[in-house]
PDB file of all heavy atoms in Angstrom:
ATOM      1  N   LEU A 404      16.725 146.064 212.389  1.00  0.00           N
ATOM      2  CA  LEU A 404      16.868 147.426 211.873  1.00  0.00           C
ATOM      3  C   LEU A 404      16.113 148.438 212.729  1.00  0.00           C
ATOM      4  O   LEU A 404      16.568 149.567 212.921  1.00  0.00           O
ATOM      5  CB  LEU A 404      16.372 147.481 210.424  1.00  0.00           C
ATOM      6  CG  LEU A 404      17.249 146.774 209.385  1.00  0.00           C
ATOM      7  CD1 LEU A 404      16.599 146.849 207.999  1.00  0.00           C
ATOM      8  CD2 LEU A 404      18.652 147.391 209.348  1.00  0.00           C
ATOM      9  N   VAL A 405      14.961 148.040 213.254  1.00  0.00           N
ATOM     10  CA  VAL A 405      14.207 148.935 214.133  1.00  0.00           C
ATOM     11  C   VAL A 405      15.020 149.264 215.386  1.00  0.00           C
ATOM     12  O   VAL A 405      15.102 150.420 215.810  1.00  0.00           O
ATOM     13  CB  VAL A 405      12.854 148.300 214.506  1.00  0.00           C
ATOM     14  CG1 VAL A 405      12.188 149.070 215.639  1.00  0.00           C
ATOM     15  CG2 VAL A 405      11.940 148.260 213.290  1.00  0.00           C
ATOM     16  N   CYS A 406      15.645 148.255 215.978  1.00  0.00           N
ATOM     17  CA  CYS A 406      16.469 148.485 217.174  1.00  0.00           C
ATOM     18  C   CYS A 406      17.657 149.390 216.863  1.00  0.00           C
ATOM     19  O   CYS A 406      17.989 150.294 217.649  1.00  0.00           O
ATOM     20  CB  CYS A 406      16.952 147.156 217.741  1.00  0.00           C
ATOM     21  SG  CYS A 406      15.657 146.103 218.416  1.00  0.00           S
ATOM     22  N   LEU A 407      18.300 149.166 215.736  1.00  0.00           N
ATOM     23  CA  LEU A 407      19.453 149.991 215.371  1.00  0.00           C
ATOM     24  C   LEU A 407      19.033 151.430 215.074  1.00  0.00           C
ATOM     25  O   LEU A 407      19.752 152.378 215.413  1.00  0.00           O
ATOM     26  CB  LEU A 407      20.159 149.379 214.162  1.00  0.00           C
ATOM     27  CG  LEU A 407      20.807 148.000 214.387  1.00  0.00           C
ATOM     28  CD1 LEU A 407      21.411 147.485 213.089  1.00  0.00           C
ATOM     29  CD2 LEU A 407      21.874 148.078 215.474  1.00  0.00           C
ATOM     30  N   LEU A 408      17.879 151.605 214.437  1.00  0.00           N
ATOM     31  CA  LEU A 408      17.396 152.952 214.153  1.00  0.00           C
ATOM     32  C   LEU A 408      17.101 153.714 215.443  1.00  0.00           C
ATOM     33  O   LEU A 408      17.464 154.892 215.590  1.00  0.00           O
ATOM     34  CB  LEU A 408      16.146 152.874 213.273  1.00  0.00           C
ATOM     35  CG  LEU A 408      15.464 154.209 212.946  1.00  0.00           C
ATOM     36  CD1 LEU A 408      16.412 155.125 212.172  1.00  0.00           C
ATOM     37  CD2 LEU A 408      14.177 153.972 212.150  1.00  0.00           C
ATOM     38  N   LEU A 409      16.453 153.051 216.389  1.00  0.00           N
ATOM     39  CA  LEU A 409      16.155 153.702 217.662  1.00  0.00           C
ATOM     40  C   LEU A 409      17.429 153.971 218.461  1.00  0.00           C
ATOM     41  O   LEU A 409      17.514 154.970 219.186  1.00  0.00           O
ATOM     42  CB  LEU A 409      15.192 152.827 218.474  1.00  0.00           C
ATOM     43  CG  LEU A 409      13.774 152.727 217.923  1.00  0.00           C
ATOM     44  CD1 LEU A 409      12.928 151.791 218.769  1.00  0.00           C
ATOM     45  CD2 LEU A 409      13.122 154.103 217.861  1.00  0.00           C
ATOM     46  N   MET A 410      18.402 153.079 218.346  1.00  0.00           N
ATOM     47  CA  MET A 410      19.690 153.321 219.002  1.00  0.00           C
ATOM     48  C   MET A 410      20.322 154.610 218.481  1.00  0.00           C
ATOM     49  O   MET A 410      20.814 155.441 219.264  1.00  0.00           O
ATOM     50  CB  MET A 410      20.618 152.127 218.761  1.00  0.00           C
ATOM     51  CG  MET A 410      22.023 152.290 219.316  1.00  0.00           C
ATOM     52  SD  MET A 410      23.159 151.037 218.678  1.00  0.00           S
ATOM     53  CE  MET A 410      23.345 151.607 216.969  1.00  0.00           C
ATOM     54  N   TRP A 411      20.308 154.779 217.182  1.00  0.00           N
ATOM     55  CA  TRP A 411      20.873 156.007 216.600  1.00  0.00           C
ATOM     56  C   TRP A 411      20.074 157.232 217.045  1.00  0.00           C
ATOM     57  O   TRP A 411      20.646 158.277 217.361  1.00  0.00           O
ATOM     58  CB  TRP A 411      20.858 155.897 215.072  1.00  0.00           C
ATOM     59  CG  TRP A 411      21.185 157.192 214.388  1.00  0.00           C
ATOM     60  CD1 TRP A 411      22.427 157.719 214.170  1.00  0.00           C
ATOM     61  CD2 TRP A 411      20.240 158.139 213.860  1.00  0.00           C
ATOM     62  NE1 TRP A 411      22.324 158.939 213.534  1.00  0.00           N
ATOM     63  CE2 TRP A 411      20.994 159.221 213.334  1.00  0.00           C
ATOM     64  CE3 TRP A 411      18.853 158.183 213.779  1.00  0.00           C
ATOM     65  CZ2 TRP A 411      20.392 160.318 212.736  1.00  0.00           C
ATOM     66  CZ3 TRP A 411      18.260 159.268 213.183  1.00  0.00           C
ATOM     67  CH2 TRP A 411      19.022 160.324 212.674  1.00  0.00           C
ATOM     68  N   LEU A 412      18.758 157.088 217.102  1.00  0.00           N
ATOM     69  CA  LEU A 412      17.915 158.217 217.496  1.00  0.00           C
ATOM     70  C   LEU A 412      18.189 158.634 218.942  1.00  0.00           C
ATOM     71  O   LEU A 412      18.304 159.827 219.251  1.00  0.00           O
ATOM     72  CB  LEU A 412      16.445 157.840 217.321  1.00  0.00           C
ATOM     73  CG  LEU A 412      15.424 158.949 217.573  1.00  0.00           C
ATOM     74  CD1 LEU A 412      15.564 160.042 216.524  1.00  0.00           C
ATOM     75  CD2 LEU A 412      14.012 158.376 217.560  1.00  0.00           C
ATOM     76  N   LEU A 413      18.313 157.667 219.834  1.00  0.00           N
ATOM     77  CA  LEU A 413      18.604 157.985 221.236  1.00  0.00           C
ATOM     78  C   LEU A 413      19.993 158.579 221.402  1.00  0.00           C
ATOM     79  O   LEU A 413      20.225 159.427 222.274  1.00  0.00           O
ATOM     80  CB  LEU A 413      18.468 156.724 222.096  1.00  0.00           C
ATOM     81  CG  LEU A 413      17.047 156.217 222.337  1.00  0.00           C
ATOM     82  CD1 LEU A 413      17.077 154.877 223.053  1.00  0.00           C
ATOM     83  CD2 LEU A 413      16.252 157.228 223.147  1.00  0.00           C
ATOM     84  N   ALA A 414      20.929 158.148 220.578  1.00  0.00           N
ATOM     85  CA  ALA A 414      22.288 158.666 220.682  1.00  0.00           C
ATOM     86  C   ALA A 414      22.395 160.113 220.217  1.00  0.00           C
ATOM     87  O   ALA A 414      23.310 160.839 220.629  1.00  0.00           O
ATOM     88  CB  ALA A 414      23.248 157.788 219.877  1.00  0.00           C
ATOM     89  N   THR A 415      21.458 160.565 219.374  1.00  0.00           N
ATOM     90  CA  THR A 415      21.534 161.942 218.871  1.00  0.00           C
ATOM     91  C   THR A 415      21.143 162.967 219.920  1.00  0.00           C
ATOM     92  O   THR A 415      21.497 164.143 219.795  1.00  0.00           O
ATOM     93  CB  THR A 415      20.611 162.109 217.654  1.00  0.00           C
ATOM     94  OG1 THR A 415      19.271 161.748 218.019  1.00  0.00           O
ATOM     95  CG2 THR A 415      21.076 161.227 216.504  1.00  0.00           C
ATOM     96  N   GLY A 416      20.392 162.571 220.950  1.00  0.00           N
ATOM     97  CA  GLY A 416      20.011 163.518 221.989  1.00  0.00           C
ATOM     98  C   GLY A 416      18.595 163.274 222.457  1.00  0.00           C
ATOM     99  O   GLY A 416      17.723 162.837 221.696  1.00  0.00           O
ATOM    100  N   VAL A 417      18.340 163.578 223.724  1.00  0.00           N
ATOM    101  CA  VAL A 417      17.037 163.287 224.306  1.00  0.00           C
ATOM    102  C   VAL A 417      15.962 164.219 223.755  1.00  0.00           C
ATOM    103  O   VAL A 417      14.796 163.847 223.652  1.00  0.00           O
ATOM    104  CB  VAL A 417      17.117 163.385 225.843  1.00  0.00           C
ATOM    105  CG1 VAL A 417      17.421 164.805 226.291  1.00  0.00           C
ATOM    106  CG2 VAL A 417      15.831 162.895 226.485  1.00  0.00           C
ATOM    107  N   LYS A 418      16.341 165.449 223.377  1.00  0.00           N
ATOM    108  CA  LYS A 418      15.345 166.384 222.851  1.00  0.00           C
ATOM    109  C   LYS A 418      14.785 165.887 221.519  1.00  0.00           C
ATOM    110  O   LYS A 418      13.563 165.883 221.312  1.00  0.00           O
ATOM    111  CB  LYS A 418      15.973 167.762 222.685  1.00  0.00           C
ATOM    112  CG  LYS A 418      14.984 168.846 222.260  1.00  0.00           C
ATOM    113  CD  LYS A 418      15.670 170.188 222.123  1.00  0.00           C
ATOM    114  CE  LYS A 418      16.212 170.673 223.442  1.00  0.00           C
ATOM    115  NZ  LYS A 418      16.773 172.054 223.344  1.00  0.00           N
TER     116      LYS A 418
END
Side-chain angles (χ1 to χ4, degrees):
L404 289 177
V405 168
C406 293
L407 295 177
L408 177 61
L409 291 178
M410 176 193 72
W411 170 81
L412 185 66
L413 288 173
T415 57
V417 65
K418 185 180 296 186

